[in-house]
Amino acid sequence: MKSMPSTSTAAEQSFCLCGRKVPYRDCCEPFHLGRAWPETAEQLMRSRYVAYALHLKDYLLQTWDPSTRPSDFTFDENLHWQKLRILKTKRGRAQDNTGSVVFRAEYCLKDGGLNGQPDRVDSSGSVIEKGVMTEKSRFVRDHRQSGAPWVYLDGELS
């Protein structure tokens, strides 16, 4: 798994990007470093959102069900995830085998990252497009692995 860069004292005390009011080191970082595994589908979804924001490809691939996992993917360097909001969860608790999470993620594309079509230009002259993505993600337990951890199966955009 890709190691996280060293964090400064200020960064260690900032809230996790997943939206919980908890420092990253006490929230998603243990999952990203392989020290713990999410106990619920929502925890996995939140940790995957942060992994996308931090470009943690190894973690994303590791937490993707083998039946739907791509062999590889790339990040859009112009895409910056801004905010996560959980709208609904169904099952996905520690005792369940399946679960779903509906979430809304706000993003910002800089320098014409999406089709080169800017939404507005900021004061520094950089092109910025803002948007919102809503997805219903499905999660399953991977019984092929010890402890049957939660993995991402697929998602439906709306």
Side-chain angles (χ1 to χ4, degrees):
M1 201 173 331
K2 182 177 177 182
S3 297
M4 290 299 303
S6 298
T7 55
S8 67
T9 304
E12 289 174 354
Q13 294 178 9
S14 64
F15 291 140
C16 187
L17 297 173
C18 79
R20 292 183 62 226
K21 303 264 191 243
V22 177
Y24 173 69
R25 71 174 184 274
D26 298 328
C27 193
C28 291
E29 184 179 47
F31 305 140
H32 295 156
L33 295 176
R35 294 181 186 149
W37 198 267
E39 294 180 15
T40 67
E42 182 180 329
Q43 280 183 329
L44 178 60
M45 204 287 323
R46 287 179 180 277
S47 71
R48 286 177 56 84
Y49 169 84
V50 175
Y52 271 106
L54 299 177
H55 293 189
L56 302 177
K57 182 189 256 185
D58 291 343
Y59 181 78
L60 291 165
L61 290 171
Q62 177 189 8
T63 59
W64 209 316
D65 187 79
S67 70
T68 57
R69 178 175 51 220
S71 59
D72 195 21
F73 68 92
T74 58
F75 294 102
D76 182 340
E77 297 298 323
N78 296 315
L79 180 65
H80 302 275
W81 294 104
Q82 304 292 303
K83 184 178 180 182
L84 174 68
R85 182 169 171 226
I86 303 299
L87 302 177
K88 181 180 178 182
T89 59
K90 185 175 180 182
R91 295 186 305 275
R93 298 172 305 254
Q95 69 271 23
D96 295 322
N97 285 310
T98 63
S100 64
V101 178
V102 179
F103 67 93
R104 180 173 294 141
E106 296 177 18
Y107 63 86
C108 178
L109 286 164
K110 296 186 178 183
D111 300 321
L114 181 63
N115 302 325
Q117 302 297 316
D119 183 56
R120 68 180 179 85
V121 177
D122 72 7
S123 60
S124 68
S126 297
V127 177
I128 296 178
E129 178 180 326
K130 293 187 175 209
V132 177
M133 178 189 93
T134 302
E135 179 178 312
K136 177 182 179 181
S137 294
R138 294 190 310 152
F139 299 88
V140 296
R141 293 280 192 177
D142 185 353
H143 292 285
R144 294 170 291 231
Q145 295 187 53
S146 174
W150 284 106
V151 291
Y152 171 79
L153 181 61
D154 58 23
E156 182 179 315
L157 296 173
S158 59

